[in-house]
């Protein structure tokens, strides 16, 4: 179907070298997009770039840290210079540090908020001129079940992911007239490096996730390819400001 075709579009996926970000990057490339990934780890960048290039699409990997405003602006400039446009930004890079609220150092709070929330604002601001010039664009921000629920061991993370949903709504309202759609995706429990650590650190987590998820399994990075293509393509041109769970039913189970 033509509405889902991304041929000629250029996308940035932060944290696109692994996990959910790579699942989305691969989906966009398979739909025809040129994909640029941003991460801090050179080896992971190289391996992901090779897999994207193997799909026969244009792709590029950029070293950078999303907590650095300068890095984000540099990478967006590099993408525009190399690929001549920027139509889609997926703000996916994210971290968590699990502790009770009384145990966090302020520096840890700032690190989580800078990585998960402030970076999305900076990237959206930096991409806006190119999208406006092109007559439209798509911004996809990655939230979490903790955009909706609380958790005793994830205060800063939950604050950052709640903030992602509100930032999404604000940007969607502001930029609808520029034909820029801004939406959030809220993954459930997905099997990635991020949660593999939690699975071993938090006793019983694996069983609780299986029991609470109606689909009866952990999600996979590739489960996010379809939603990424939908929200990045003309198929979603009248969809903006939403926060869509991709969670196997986790958020609707009573
Ligand atoms: P992973 O740990 O597997 O991947 C995280 C990615 O982010 C990596 O590509 C990493 O690359 C990049 N990254 C982290 N910090 C930075 C930084 N400072 N600058 C640049 N890149 C960075 O995590 P997931 O794939 O699981 O998570 C992706 C997103 O999905 C996150 O926002 C997470 O909060 C969210 N999410 C995940 C869920 C899950 O169950 N897995 C559930 C709900 C939400 P590098 O190391 O090279 O910097």
């Amino acid at each position: 179907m033509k509405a889902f075709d991304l041929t000629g579009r250029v996308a940035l996926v932060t944290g696109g070298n692994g996990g959910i970000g790579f699942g989305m990057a691969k989906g966009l490339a398979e739909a025809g997009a040129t994909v640029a990934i941003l991460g801090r780890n050179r080896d992971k960048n190289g391996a992901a770039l090779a897999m994207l290039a193997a799909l026969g699409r244009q792709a590029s990997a950029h070293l950078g840290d999303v907590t650095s405003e300068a890095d984000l602006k540099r990478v967006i400039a590099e993408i525009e210079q190399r690929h001549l446009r920027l139509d889609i930004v997926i703000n996916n890079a994210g971290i968590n540090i699990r502790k009770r609220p009384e145990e966090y150092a302020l520096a840890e709070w700032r690190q989580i908020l800078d990585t998960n929330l402030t970076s999305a604002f900076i990237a959206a601001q930096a991409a806006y001129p190119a999208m406006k010039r092109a007559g439209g664009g798509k911004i996809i921000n990655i939230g979490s079940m903790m955009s909706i629920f609380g958790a005793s061991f994830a205060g800063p993370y939950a604050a950052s992911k709640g903030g992602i949903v509100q930032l999404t709504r604000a940007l969607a309202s502001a930029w609808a007239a520029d034909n820029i759609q801004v939406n959030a995706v809220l993954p459930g429990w997905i099997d990635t490096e991020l949660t593999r650590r939690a699975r071993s650190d938090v006793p019983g987590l694996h069983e609780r996730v299986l029991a609470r998820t109606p689909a009866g399994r952990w999600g996979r990075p590739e489960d996010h390819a379809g939603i990424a293509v939908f929200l990045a393509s003309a198929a979603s041109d009248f969809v903006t400001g939403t926060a869509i769970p991709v969670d196997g039913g986790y958020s609707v189970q009573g």
Side-chain angles (χ1 to χ4, degrees), residues 14-21 38-41 44-45 64-67 92-95 115-116 142-145 157 161 187-195 218:
T14 71
N17 65 20
I20 293 170
L38 159 61
R40 294 164 302 178
N41 182 306
K44 279 162 63 182
N45 271 9
D65 186 327
V66 296
T67 64
N92 162 80
I95 56 162
T115 308
N116 297 3
I142 307 307
S144 158
M145 287 298 102
Y157 184 82
K161 294 300 187 177
W189 285 92
I190 315 302
D191 182 17
T192 66
E193 262 178 43
L194 189 77
T195 47
W218 284 67

Side-chain angles (χ1 to χ4, degrees), residues 94-172:
I95 56 162
N96 194 8
I97 302 171
R98 288 176 192 78
K99 290 182 179 179
R100 292 192 52 81
E102 62 273 26
E103 291 168 354
Y104 284 97
L106 185 56
E108 292 173 320
W109 164 276
R110 289 198 170 122
Q111 191 190 350
I112 295 168
L113 270 287
D114 283 353
T115 308
N116 297 3
L117 179 59
T118 309
S119 64
F121 179 61
I122 294 169
Q125 253 190 349
Y128 175 70
M131 292 182 178
K132 194 171 158 66
R133 260 197 320 274
K138 304 279 185 177
I139 298 173
I140 303 167
N141 297 321
I142 307 307
S144 158
M145 287 298 102
M146 288 184 205
S147 301
I148 310 172
F149 302 116
S152 56
F153 54 88
Y157 184 82
S160 73
K161 294 300 187 177
I164 275 285
V165 170
Q166 287 303 99
L167 175 65
T168 298
R169 292 174 177 150
L171 297 180

Side-chain angles (χ1 to χ4, degrees), residues 29-54:
E30 283 169 345
T34 293
V35 179
I37 56 172
L38 159 61
R40 294 164 302 178
N41 182 306
R42 190 182 294 275
D43 293 342
K44 279 162 63 182
N45 271 9
L49 180 61
M51 287 190 273
L52 292 173

